[in-house]
Amino acid sequence: MSDQTISAQQVSELQQKLSLVQDEVGKVIVGQQDVVQQVLMGMLAGGHCLLEGVPGLAKTLMVSSLAQTLDLDFTRVQFTPDLMPSDIIGTEILETDHDSGKRFFKFQQGPVFTNLLLADEINRTPPKTQAALLEAMQEKKVSYAGHSYALPKPFFVLATQNPVEQSGTYPLPEAQLDRFLLFIRVGYPSAEEEIEILRRTTSNVSTHINAVLQAQDIIALQSLVREVEMAEPLLDYVSRVVRATRPETSDVAAITQFVRWGAGPRAGQALTLCAKARAFLQGRFAVTVDDIKAVAHSVLRHRILLNFQAEADNMQSDQVIDNLLQALSLPVSPLV
């Protein structure tokens, strides 16, 4: 490792803490290990995650449980149609200096000034309020009345949305979707998991979740993830994957037939960082092609805009990504 301030023993301890985080969340959340891992990947890569699933799949509970394992400031905002931008970023209030009697405006920080922000049901608030998060998510700061206010480090947005209900919802625009590093689909539990859910949630047994990671641990982990090696052929593969999503330059039949707009350069950055984060989570310090393929769906599914032909043929973005990965040749190198 190039970072001389972190010893091999400290790296091992941090990796053990990551494993403990998953164990602690598992005390409350039955199954969904893949979803928890993807959220951790987003955190390690320094990005934000959007979780989509029907009601009752414990999306909110998962995020709040994860927050309990992290010794960080945590804020939950329930997004509603009447929520205003100032309800998120804050507003100026008029105060009086008790010594001089002079009155002045003071910026009152909103709930976005936290380490972990849970934006619950983000698609239930109008675009004006959704857009209030754009600068915070991208620049890690908030601008108000000509002044900029830095957000605490680390800063993550974990948002949830329900894909079923359409009444009273406002789908996120493509520009905001692109700010999310990962778009994670939360599926139904298996039969065995559902029985365990019934067993746990209908008894008097209470569960205590221990805090495992602190802010400085997460910042150190994010630095370590960027140190994970990625061979040049794999970087070329990532570039080919992203460029192949664009119908004007793609040779993949599913892309030219079903895609209106492809992914931008931010998708390549996300693929690279998430592949590094996955390798690190598994105790490796070098990325493999399997790491890239494993994160491709969550990275690309919200960055590909399908056309009317795809809607008519009931073609989903995940199916298009499957066809894309199958059509591209894999990198040929002993390092991958």
Side-chain angles (χ1 to χ4, degrees), residues 149-179:
Y149 303 90
L151 296 173
K153 293 181 180 180
F155 173 71
F156 312 104
V157 174
L158 298 181
T160 68
Q161 71 176 16
N162 172 11
V164 178
E165 297 180 27
Q166 298 300 320
S167 177
T169 62
Y170 304 84
L172 289 170
E174 284 71 20
Q176 178 126 14
L177 280 173
D178 199 35
R179 261 64 174 190

Side-chain angles (χ1 to χ4, degrees), residues 113-130:
F113 287 87
T114 187
N115 295 121
L116 178 56
L117 176 66
L118 169 55
D120 214 2
E121 296 187 296
I122 191 172
N123 60 333
R124 285 196 170 276
T125 199
K128 181 179 181 180
T129 306
Q130 292 174 356

Side-chain angles (χ1 to χ4, degrees), residues 14-15 18 44 213 217-225 280:
L14 287 172
Q15 288 181 315
L18 279 174
L44 293 176
L213 285 173
D217 294 328
I218 296 173
I219 293 172
L221 283 165
Q222 291 175 342
S223 177
L224 285 169
V225 164
F280 188 83

Side-chain angles (χ1 to χ4, degrees), residues 139-154:
E139 306 293 338
K140 308 295 176 68
K141 67 178 182 178
V142 165
S143 297
Y144 191 94
H147 298 280
S148 292
Y149 303 90
L151 296 173
K153 293 181 180 180

Side-chain angles (χ1 to χ4, degrees), residues 69-145:
T69 70
L70 310 176
D71 190 14
L72 303 174
D73 290 334
F74 169 67
T75 305
R76 176 180 181 270
V77 177
Q78 181 66 50
F79 279 64
T80 57
D82 60 347
L83 197 71
M84 298 296 291
S86 59
D87 296 326
I88 299 175
I89 64 174
T91 187
E92 285 187 333
I93 58 175
L94 189 62
E95 290 194 350
T96 303
D97 189 315
H98 296 292
D99 296 329
S100 64
K102 292 183 178 180
R103 307 178 77 183
F104 61 94
F105 284 100
K106 179 182 178 182
F107 181 68
Q108 184 70 36
Q109 295 182 350
V112 74
F113 287 87
T114 187
N115 295 121
L116 178 56
L117 176 66
L118 169 55
D120 214 2
E121 296 187 296
I122 191 172
N123 60 333
R124 285 196 170 276
T125 199
K128 181 179 181 180
T129 306
Q130 292 174 356
L133 276 176
L134 280 175
E135 183 184 22
M137 293 172 66
Q138 185 65 28
E139 306 293 338
K140 308 295 176 68
K141 67 178 182 178
V142 165
S143 297
Y144 191 94

